[in-house]
Amino acid sequence: MTDQNQNAVADDDELDLGKIIQLVLENWLLFAVSILLALIISYAYVWYSQPVYEMTTTVLVDDQGSDISQNILDEVGVVGKKRNIENEIAILSSRNLVEKAMATLNLNVSYTINLGLRKRDLYNDSPLKLDYLLSEDAPSAFLFTVHLAQDEPTAVLTYELQESNGDWTEYEQHITLEEQFSNPLGHFRLLPTEYFPLFASGDSARSLDYELQYMSNSQLATIYLGMLEVEEAREKASILRLRLKDQVGQRGEDVLDAILGVFIQNNIEKKNQLASNSLKFIEKQLDVITTDLTILESEIKGFKTSHGITDISSEATFFLQQVGSLDATVSEMDVKLSIINYLEVYITSDKDLKNASPSSLGIADPLLNALIVQLNTLSTERQSLLRFTKEDNPLVNALDLQIQETKKSLINNIASIRSGLEASKKELQKQLAGIEKKVKTLPKAEYDLLALQRQYSIKESLYLLLLEKKSENSILLASTVSDNMVIDKARSTEDPIKPKKSFVYLLGLLIGFGIPSFYLVLILIFDNRIKDGDHLKKTSPIPFLGVIPHHNETHYLVVRDMVNTAIAESFRSIRTNLSFLIQKNELALGVSPKVIQLTSAMGSEGKSFCSINLAASLALGGAKTIVVGLDLRKPKLAEYFSLSNKIGASSVLAGMESLENAILSTEIENLDVLVAGPVPPNPSELLMGKGLTEMLENLTQMYDHVVLDTPPIGLVTDSLIISEHAATTIYVVRQNVTNLNSMQYINDLYRSKKIKSISLLFNDVKSSKFGYGYGYGYGQGYYIETVKLTKWQRLKLFLKPS
């Protein structure tokens, strides 16, 4: 037995794994039902859930600024500062930009069809359209529930309003399609579309119930900002990827396209802002000069008429040409000085130059252009930061310092340019003064006419110059393109990203398999009951007597003459094993070898059942046998044999009745019974007295075997008292009833030898389709011999109906 236990312990891991597999296979129906139920739930979830699609698009962000500015910087050897790509990400995901995109789309009213157990969001294929003119008190979001009539162009509209006390009140309104109706929310019309009354897209059943949800552009921006993701598509590349999730793929594509459209348009407007301001400045100057030219033209005409001059002399004409050339140059200097003064005022007034170059106004100074580009870049970066942070942020403060330094450099550069222009103007004015001396020698009439024509020539040259600059700025505005470019238009996934059918079904399969597995693991961990013969063998070193299989008999006495059932055969095998055990221990024990005690850890383990059937098996073997009920607290023998319990062992032990009168015969030949009798007030005292010894001595003289049905040894001490008179004690263990703690107690008794001879009887063992074991043996060599089945045999047993 010791060697066998050691081998069993060595094979613990293999046996445990085998038991787990066996447990799973034996509970295959539980797994099948669980997996089937999980898959049904998964299908219902996929069917019920609103599908969600993912839309993506990519945009190229030119990180070098405008082409004109960059060319100027390249000429002077100044490296332009790249715009921070993170700023562009922040702009694309800003509320202001998304709200502008929402304003370009007609998404304020969403249409949902109610199909009973599920709802579906409609977009371009909605059978209804809501025209509305909201009242001033209308909330930013509200819901209309519409129930269409079956055969009439009418509907019942339901909505809720929040009262002044904060409670919500539901209102119902009967409306007619295509006719205006009003309520506190505004004026409305419900119009059928070309899809009315068609089915909802993708659904097979027509519905009369719809939900119309109104949301303002601000509410829509909040929703789509939560679903919008902007990220860099690649490292070391100015390409951004935009992701958006929506329940309708086409709607998500439209939203992404609108966001990029507003983003690109904003970029163009930023580039054109100074050009537009310059054009306004030029147009104002042209209006003034046009008026002056008209006045001068009238004065020249009047002067010629009053003095009778039709033409001036050749000398005067020569002087006029020289003076006109110099005056034109001086006028150009005046225009540049005006532009310089305009730029100085524009910069000192804390305005941004918005990505345009002053070269469009005739100032071709590379350093000035470079400083303006730098100032504009810093200002744009500051505006981007202020969308997400406060002005006291250290990053903003650092940018403010750079902006101030750049402005100082600009002012100094403008002062330098102004000084150069004024010096050139003075030199031209000196040349002009010399010519004017010669002009004064002309006759007075010619001199006065020359002066008028000179002023006209100055204004005319200035007018032509401004017309040229206006044309240049108009061309610049018309030809401006965005620095950003859409690479891939928005495209939706063909299959929804949520719910993912394959993932949901796989998860359902895992859960369906995992729940019963977890349940079985809990059983293996926390269920400390004896599971099978192998488990019992590893739990206890006590010799194994045999196995009583599970049965479905309706009566207690299953061992009879001419009966060859499996359970009857098992008791016969135990009878054989028991005879060897008694013969081996007969010389070592100082008690009668005829006395056999049966006990267990607690009630309901089949101790009394095993007692009467073991006794019946001994009697059928030809030995005169009596079974004695010594479980005085809970007597069962009288019930099992359908006998009276008025007289029994308690009566004999108490001296109230003779042994001969208490013994009753049974229907089985050679088998008598001594029931327990009335329950005494002092069972332990009766068993400890001399009466028990005398009674057993008398019984051993009268019978070949005396089988004692004793109380549970784990609950009371009566069985320990009785064991002193028994040649052997049979400890009954019931499958899935007896726990490990009770086995520990009986093991301690066995090791301490408080019981002279003990063996285990495994009761109510259910057969397994994957291997069945039973015990037999003799002496100290009792062991479990398990019938090992091949895989093919196990498969046939598994498929065979129970």
Side-chain angles (χ1 to χ4, degrees):
M1 181 64 203
T2 302
D3 294 340
Q4 182 182 355
N5 286 337
Q6 290 177 351
N7 294 334
V9 172
D11 295 337
D12 274 352
D13 294 339
E14 180 181 352
L15 290 176
D16 288 344
L17 180 59
K19 293 304 177 184
I20 293 173
I21 296 175
Q22 177 178 331
L23 194 61
V24 171
L25 294 176
E26 289 183 343
N27 292 274
W28 67 270
L29 184 60
L30 174 64
F31 281 87
V33 171
S34 177
I35 291 174
L36 180 61
L37 183 61
L39 291 178
I40 291 174
I41 295 174
S42 300
Y43 173 79
Y45 173 78
V46 171
W47 178 84
Y48 176 80
S49 299
Q50 175 79 40
V52 177
Y53 298 87
E54 183 179 68
M55 286 59 66
T56 57
T57 183
T58 53
V59 58
L60 173 64
V61 179
D62 187 356
D63 219 21
Q64 297 293 338
S66 62
D67 295 337
I68 298 175
S69 302
Q70 186 60 38
N71 292 336
I72 295 172
L73 294 176
D74 292 339
E75 290 177 4
V76 297
V78 178
V79 179
K81 180 180 179 181
K82 286 191 175 183
R83 291 181 296 176
N84 192 344
I85 196 71
E86 295 181 358
N87 290 342
E88 300 300 332
I89 293 176
I91 293 173
L92 278 168
S93 56
S94 65
R95 170 176 287 275
N96 182 44
L97 186 137
V98 176
E99 282 191 18
K100 287 183 178 179
M102 294 300 105
T104 63
L105 300 170
N106 188 20
L107 299 180
N108 298 97
V109 180
S110 61
Y111 303 89
T112 304
I113 184 172
N114 189 339
L115 298 172
L117 293 178
R118 59 176 177 170
K119 299 178 180 180
R120 286 295 179 263
D121 201 345
L122 308 176
Y123 184 44
N124 292 330
D125 54 356
S126 171
L128 301 172
K129 179 183 179 183
L130 185 68
D131 278 351
Y132 56 90
L133 179 61
L134 300 181
S135 63
E136 295 181 356
D137 299 330
S140 60
F142 57 84
L143 176 68
F144 283 158
T145 301
V146 177
H147 178 73
L148 299 175
Q150 185 72 36
D151 301 317
E152 299 179 0
T154 60
V156 177
L157 184 141
T158 307
Y159 60 93
E160 289 186 347
L161 289 179
Q162 189 173 20
E163 307 296 339
S164 57
N165 59 2
D167 296 334
W168 289 87
T169 305
E170 184 177 288
Y171 295 89
E172 187 176 284
Q173 190 172 4
H174 293 269
I175 63 173
T176 302
L177 301 183
E178 298 184 349
E179 292 186 6
Q180 181 174 308
F181 62 92
S182 301
N183 54 46
L185 297 173
H187 305 284
F188 303 91
R189 277 199 313 160
L190 193 60
L191 304 175
T193 68
E194 57 182 314
Y195 298 100
F196 185 85
L198 299 180
F199 309 137
S201 176
D203 293 295
S204 59
R206 178 172 180 262
S207 176
L208 299 175
D209 295 319
Y210 295 85
E211 293 180 359
L212 281 59
Q213 175 80 47
Y214 169 82
M215 284 184 288
S216 64
N217 290 332
S218 177
Q219 292 278 349
L220 288 172
T222 300
I223 292 174
Y224 281 104
L225 278 173
M227 298 185 293
L228 178 65
E229 297 179 7
V230 184
E231 60 185 4
E232 291 186 60
R234 294 180 181 177
E235 295 183 1
K236 299 180 181 180
S238 301
I239 300 177
L240 299 180
R241 178 181 290 111
L242 282 71
R243 298 181 187 272
L244 185 68
K245 298 176 182 177
D246 200 344
Q247 295 177 345
V248 181
Q250 183 60 50
R251 182 173 60 191
E253 292 178 2
D254 294 343
V255 169
L256 277 184
D257 289 339
I259 289 174
L260 288 184
V262 172
F263 176 66
I264 291 175
Q265 185 60 36
N266 285 351
N267 182 258
I268 293 175
E269 291 176 357
K270 284 167 60 179
K271 293 180 67 176
N272 287 338
Q273 186 166 348
L274 183 59
S276 299
N277 293 339
S278 302
L279 192 59
K280 291 177 182 178
F281 171 78
I282 293 172
E283 288 176 346
K284 288 180 181 179
Q285 297 297 320
L286 282 173
D287 291 340
V288 174
I289 294 174
T290 301
T291 302
D292 292 343
L293 285 174
T294 302
I295 295 174
L296 285 173
E297 189 174 351
S298 298
E299 289 181 356
I300 291 173
K301 184 177 180 181
F303 186 86
K304 286 183 177 182
T305 303
S306 62
H307 290 82
I309 300 175
T310 59
D311 197 5
I312 59 174
S313 65
S314 59
E315 185 180 5
T317 302
F318 174 75
F319 287 144
L320 179 62
Q321 291 175 350
Q322 287 185 318
V323 170
S325 176
L326 291 174
D327 281 337
T329 306
V330 171
S331 298
E332 188 175 351
M333 294 294 178
D334 289 335
V335 171
K336 291 182 178 181
L337 285 171
S338 298
I339 293 173
I340 286 295
N341 293 332
Y342 165 73
L343 287 174
E344 185 175 24
V345 172
Y346 199 82
I347 293 169
T348 55
S349 61
D350 291 331
K351 294 184 179 179
D352 300 323
L353 299 183
K354 302 299 180 186
N355 289 332
S357 170
S359 59
S360 60
L361 297 177
I363 309 295
D365 185 83
L367 181 58
L368 179 65
N369 286 319
L371 290 173
I372 289 176
V373 171
Q374 183 178 353
L375 179 61
N376 171 70
T377 302
L378 294 172
S379 300
T380 303
E381 188 173 349
R382 185 179 188 274
Q383 290 176 358
S384 300
L385 281 176
L386 288 178
R387 292 176 182 173
F388 308 99
T389 186
K390 297 180 180 179
E391 291 192 356
D392 57 355
N393 189 288
L395 293 176
V396 178
N397 294 335
L399 284 175
D400 288 339
L401 291 176
Q402 294 183 50
I403 290 172
Q404 293 301 325
E405 292 296 328
T406 305
K407 284 185 176 181
K408 288 180 182 180
S409 300
L410 263 175
I411 297 300
N412 293 334
N413 183 253
I414 288 173
S416 175
I417 294 173
R418 183 188 292 113
S419 299
L421 290 175
E422 289 176 348
S424 300
K425 181 180 177 181
K426 287 180 181 180
E427 181 62 29
L428 290 172
Q429 285 175 342
K430 287 181 181 180
Q431 297 179 17
L432 189 59
I435 297 175
E436 284 180 346
K437 287 181 182 181
K438 296 179 181 180
V439 172
K440 288 180 180 180
T441 60
L442 296 173
K444 187 176 185 308
E446 289 186 1
Y447 176 80
D448 292 337
L449 179 61
L450 184 62
L452 289 174
Q453 288 182 338
R454 174 187 172 189
Q455 293 180 23
Y456 184 85
S457 177
I458 294 172
K459 296 294 183 180
E460 185 180 30
S461 62
L462 183 58
Y463 179 78
L464 293 175
L465 175 64
L466 291 176
L467 280 179
E468 181 184 356
K469 297 304 177 183
K470 179 182 178 181
S471 177
E472 291 177 359
N473 278 272
S474 299
I475 294 173
L476 179 63
L477 286 173
S479 61
T480 302
V481 295
S482 174
D483 294 334
N484 308 319
M485 180 182 68
V486 176
I487 299 177
D488 295 319
K489 292 199 68 175
R491 185 180 181 88
S492 172
T493 55
E494 295 183 2
D495 298 323
I497 62 169
K498 180 183 177 183
K500 290 186 177 180
K501 293 183 180 180
S502 57
F503 175 77
V504 172
Y505 288 135
L506 178 60
L507 183 62
L509 184 64
L510 293 177
I511 292 176
F513 187 81
I515 291 177
S517 298
F518 181 72
Y519 170 73
L520 294 179
V521 168
L522 289 180
I523 291 178
L524 291 174
I525 294 176
F526 296 105
D527 187 4
N528 63 347
R529 297 173 297 178
I530 300 298
K531 305 296 189 306
D532 51 35
D534 289 338
H535 191 193
L536 179 60
K537 181 177 65 174
K538 291 186 293 184
T539 304
S540 176
I542 299 175
F544 204 88
L545 184 63
V547 173
I548 305 298
H550 176 76
H551 71 96
N552 296 318
E553 300 283 349
T554 57
H555 45 274
Y556 300 107
L557 193 61
V558 296
V559 177
R560 297 184 183 86
D561 194 15
M562 304 302 292
V563 174
N564 296 320
T565 60
I567 189 170
E569 289 298 326
S570 66
F571 275 106
R572 294 187 182 100
S573 175
I574 293 169
R575 179 186 64 190
T576 303
N577 295 343
L578 185 62
S579 64
F580 286 113
L581 176 65
I582 293 174
Q583 290 176 9
K584 184 172 183 178
N585 292 337
E586 183 175 359
L587 298 176
L589 300 175
V591 295
S592 173
K594 300 180 178 182
V595 181
I596 304 168
Q597 176 190 9
L598 279 85
T599 186
S600 64
M602 60 188 74
S604 302
E605 291 178 319
K607 167 181 56 63
S608 299
F609 169 79
C610 292
S611 298
I612 63 173
N613 284 285
L614 177 60
S617 178
L618 293 170
L620 291 174
K624 192 173 183 181
T625 307
I626 185 171
V627 56
V628 182
L630 292 183
D631 189 352
L632 305 182
R633 290 176 171 82
K634 293 183 66 177
K636 291 288 185 69
L637 292 185
E639 176 187 352
Y640 286 179
F641 285 101
S642 300
L643 300 173
S644 172
N645 197 45
K646 291 182 179 180
I647 300 174
S650 61
S651 305
V652 175
L653 294 175
M656 300 172 59
E657 191 66 51
S658 64
L659 179 62
E660 290 77 6
N661 293 336
I663 295 175
L664 302 174
S665 61
T666 66
E667 60 182 8
I668 297 177
E669 186 180 358
N670 294 328
L671 178 61
D672 293 336
V673 61
L674 176 61
V675 299
V679 178
N682 54 347
S684 297
E685 286 76 2
L686 285 178
L687 295 174
M688 294 176 64
K690 295 181 179 180
L692 178 62
T693 304
E694 295 175 355
M695 184 182 72
L696 291 178
E697 289 178 353
N698 293 330
L699 289 174
T700 54
Q701 294 175 5
M702 300 167 58
Y703 295 94
D704 297 326
H705 297 290
V706 180
V707 179
L708 306 180
D709 178 27
T710 61
I713 197 170
L715 300 179
V716 294
T717 60
D718 297 356
S719 293
L720 281 177
I721 297 173
I722 299 172
S723 66
E724 297 178 357
H725 305 280
T728 184
T729 298
I730 299 175
Y731 187 78
V732 179
V733 178
R734 186 172 183 178
Q735 186 182 38
N736 293 322
V737 175
T738 305
N739 57 54
L740 296 176
N741 295 331
S742 61
M743 291 304 302
Q744 182 63 39
Y745 176 68
I746 196 66
N747 290 339
D748 292 341
L749 293 178
Y750 173 75
R751 294 188 181 96
S752 61
K753 298 183 179 180
K754 291 183 179 180
I755 298 180
K756 299 176 181 177
S757 175
I758 189 170
S759 58
L760 299 179
L761 179 61
F762 201 19
N763 184 33
D764 195 26
V765 178
K766 295 180 176 62
S767 61
S768 171
K769 292 182 178 182
F770 304 97
Y772 174 74
Y774 55 90
Y776 60 90
Y778 57 92
Q780 293 297 329
Y782 309 113
Y783 60 94
I784 300 175
E785 181 176 302
T786 302
V787 178
K788 297 293 184 178
L789 302 180
T790 65
K791 293 181 180 179
W792 174 244
Q793 291 172 325
R794 292 184 182 185
L795 180 60
K796 289 195 295 183
L797 283 173
F798 176 74
L799 297 176
K800 183 179 179 180
S802 300

